[in-house]
């Protein structure tokens, strides 16, 4: 994947502005969760319907001993989420000023408007971090390369989730579906029609807990890690081929196969399994949990004429909200 020298929308000059703005969007992993941490590939798509927007400006307020930064998070985020985001922002701002050569200790106000629900496997923390990084770059008039933005977001992700693969940090800034492996990404070829329905189970998962659970299972059973990664790599490869060849039914089978792989590893939940089954019963071509697991969202590949029925069945099975991501629109971005 060829990356532009500078991130679109960031000031090309080096004059500080009065307010800086940054934006990012959600993502969903098609296949490759967890195995990507062990060197396998993952396929991921941007979810432009869900966005994070950050504004950064100069503050005239006096600050307490916690530092020179005031943080406000709009929406219905819980106190715990806001506290975690505030702590992470202070570290992210310090990393930004160090990397971009910002002198002194500027007093800043940062406001984050995030529409991406946390803990759902949709990349909320990565999108929030990227939006803030771009807002700070815009505020200080710094050119921000894609690689610099990725590095800063990835640093924040490693703090939030432990050992992060980098797929979230890359995809929340992508305009087309990606194949990601070992820190490198390229755009996927899309020959399929249809759409993805993303359904929120209403239950937050935990990537860090899921990673630890999977690792513990690998340690208990000899050869388990190798079998998991080998099967994951096979499903990812076959799914990529089906996506390019326009074989939607084959792609759907690989999605469901990857759900079975994650479910067998203990990373699904009863509600998620019920939602997957509901989507399949309603005519979805394939469905799976998406993200780290132990909660979060279901991703269902559906033909347009079945979308209404699949969405209705997902809600009846426990989904609290759904979003639709058309493959045709993503293919247009890829071209």
């Amino acid at each position: 994947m060829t990356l532009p020298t500078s991130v679109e929308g960031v000031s090309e000059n080096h004059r500080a502005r009065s307010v800086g703005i940054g934006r990012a969007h959600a993502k969903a992993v098609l296949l490759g969760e967890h195995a990507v941490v062990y060197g396998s590939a993952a396929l991921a798509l941007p979810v432009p319907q869900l966005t994070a927007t950050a504004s950064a400006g100069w503050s005239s307020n006096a600050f307490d001993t916690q530092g020179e930064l005031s943080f406000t998070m709009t929406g219905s985020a819980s106190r715990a989420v806001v506290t975690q985001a505030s702590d992470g922002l202070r570290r992210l701002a310090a990393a930004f000023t160090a990397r971009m050569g910002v002198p002194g200790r500027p007093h800043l106000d940062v406001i984050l408007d995030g529409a991406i629900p946390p803990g759902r496997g949709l990349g909320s923390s990565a999108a929030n971090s990227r939006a803030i990084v771009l807002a700070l770059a815009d505020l200080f008039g710094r050119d921000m390369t894609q690689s610099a933005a990725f590095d800063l977001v990835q640093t924040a992700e490693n703090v939030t989730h432990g050992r992060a693969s980098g797929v979230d940090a890359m995809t929340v800034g992508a305009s087309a579906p990606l194949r990601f492996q070992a820190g490198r990404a390229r755009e996927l070829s899309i020959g399929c029609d249809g759409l993805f329905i993303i359904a929120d189970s209403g239950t937050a998962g935990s990537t860090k807990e899921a990673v630890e659970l999977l690792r513990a299972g690998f340690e208990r059973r000899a050869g388990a890690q190798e079998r998991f990664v080998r099967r994951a790599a096979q499903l990812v490869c076959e799914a990529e081929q089906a996506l390019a060849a326009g074989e939607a039914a084959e792609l759907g089978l690989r999605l469901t196969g990857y759900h079975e792989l994650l479910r067998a590893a203990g990373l699904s939940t009863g509600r998620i399994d019920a939602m997957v089954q509901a989507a399949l019963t309603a005519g979805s071509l394939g469905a799976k949990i998406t993200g780290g697991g132990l909660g979060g969202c279901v991703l269902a590949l559906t033909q347009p004429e079945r979308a209404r029925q699949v969405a209705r069945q997902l809600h009846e099975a426990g989904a609290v909200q759904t979003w639709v991501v058309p493959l045709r629109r993503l293919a247009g971005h890829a071209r």
Side-chain angles (χ1 to χ4, degrees), residues 174-252:
S175 60
L178 301 178
R179 180 188 189 275
F180 180 91
Q181 186 172 19
R184 304 176 71 86
R186 61 172 171 80
E187 292 183 1
L188 288 170
S189 175
I190 302 176
C192 288
D193 201 354
L195 50 84
F196 290 105
I197 297 177
I198 300 173
D200 181 1
S201 71
T203 303
S206 171
T207 298
K208 187 174 289 188
E209 289 181 19
V211 167
E212 292 172 354
L213 176 67
L214 187 63
R215 184 182 297 117
F218 289 163
E219 292 173 352
R220 287 195 305 270
R221 298 183 296 274
Q225 177 179 322
E226 290 76 13
R227 290 191 296 272
F228 179 91
V229 174
R230 183 168 59 250
R231 176 58 175 160
Q234 177 188 7
L235 289 168
V236 168
C237 180
E238 292 172 353
E240 183 179 2
Q241 293 171 353
L243 184 63
E247 299 172 347
E250 293 298 319
L251 174 60

Side-chain angles (χ1 to χ4, degrees), residues 90-117:
R90 296 179 193 282
R91 291 191 292 267
L92 185 61
F96 172 88
T97 55
R99 171 143 188 169
M100 304 306 294
V102 175
R105 302 178 67 183
H107 290 197
L108 302 173
D109 279 331
V110 175
I111 300 175
L112 177 66
D113 180 11
I116 307 170

Side-chain angles (χ1 to χ4, degrees), residues 15 27 60 71 85 105 115 147 228 236 268 280 298 312 321:
R15 293 183 294 103
K27 63 83 196 174
S60 59
F71 176 61
R105 302 178 67 183
S147 62
F228 179 91
V236 168
S268 188
L280 296 173
V298 164
R312 182 172 63 249
Q321 53 187 334

Side-chain angles (χ1 to χ4, degrees), residues 32-261:
E33 294 97 333
H34 293 285
V36 68
V37 177
Y38 294 91
S40 183
L43 311 183
L45 69 150
V47 182
Q49 294 90 334
L50 295 172
T51 60
T53 302
S55 64
W58 311 105
S59 176
S60 59
N61 297 328
F63 287 87
D64 57 24
T65 57
Q66 294 185 11
E68 293 78 32
L69 190 145
S70 171
F71 176 61
T72 302
M73 192 171 186
T74 64
S76 57
S78 67
R79 182 181 297 274
V81 169
V82 173
T83 299
Q84 182 183 40
S86 179
D87 292 342
L89 172 57
R90 296 179 193 282
R91 291 191 292 267
L92 185 61
F96 172 88
T97 55
R99 171 143 188 169
M100 304 306 294
V102 175
R105 302 178 67 183
H107 290 197
L108 302 173
D109 279 331
V110 175
I111 300 175
L112 177 66
D113 180 11
I116 307 170
R120 302 304 200 271
L122 298 176
S124 64
S125 61
N128 291 345
S129 294
R130 181 179 173 88
I132 290 167
V133 163
L134 297 188
L136 292 173
D138 194 27
L139 177 68
F140 287 101
R142 295 297 199 269
D143 293 340
M144 175 63 67
T145 65
Q146 289 283 16
S147 62
F150 172 82
D151 289 345
L152 287 166
V153 174
Q154 181 66 355
T155 298
E157 285 292 279
N158 284 330
V159 173
T160 301
H161 298 302
R163 181 187 171 194
S165 68
V167 65
D168 284 20
M170 186 70 73
T171 313
V172 296
S175 60
L178 301 178
R179 180 188 189 275
F180 180 91
Q181 186 172 19
R184 304 176 71 86
R186 61 172 171 80
E187 292 183 1
L188 288 170
S189 175
I190 302 176
C192 288
D193 201 354
L195 50 84
F196 290 105
I197 297 177
I198 300 173
D200 181 1
S201 71
T203 303
S206 171
T207 298
K208 187 174 289 188
E209 289 181 19
V211 167
E212 292 172 354
L213 176 67
L214 187 63
R215 184 182 297 117
F218 289 163
E219 292 173 352
R220 287 195 305 270
R221 298 183 296 274
Q225 177 179 322
E226 290 76 13
R227 290 191 296 272
F228 179 91
V229 174
R230 183 168 59 250
R231 176 58 175 160
Q234 177 188 7
L235 289 168
V236 168
C237 180
E238 292 172 353
E240 183 179 2
Q241 293 171 353
L243 184 63
E247 299 172 347
E250 293 298 319
L251 174 60
L253 289 174
R254 273 61 183 184
L255 293 175
T256 306
Y258 208 94
H259 177 74
E260 290 303 314
L261 180 68

Side-chain angles (χ1 to χ4, degrees), residues 287-299:
K288 64 180 284 290
I289 190 172
T290 183
L294 303 180
C297 290
V298 164
L299 180 76

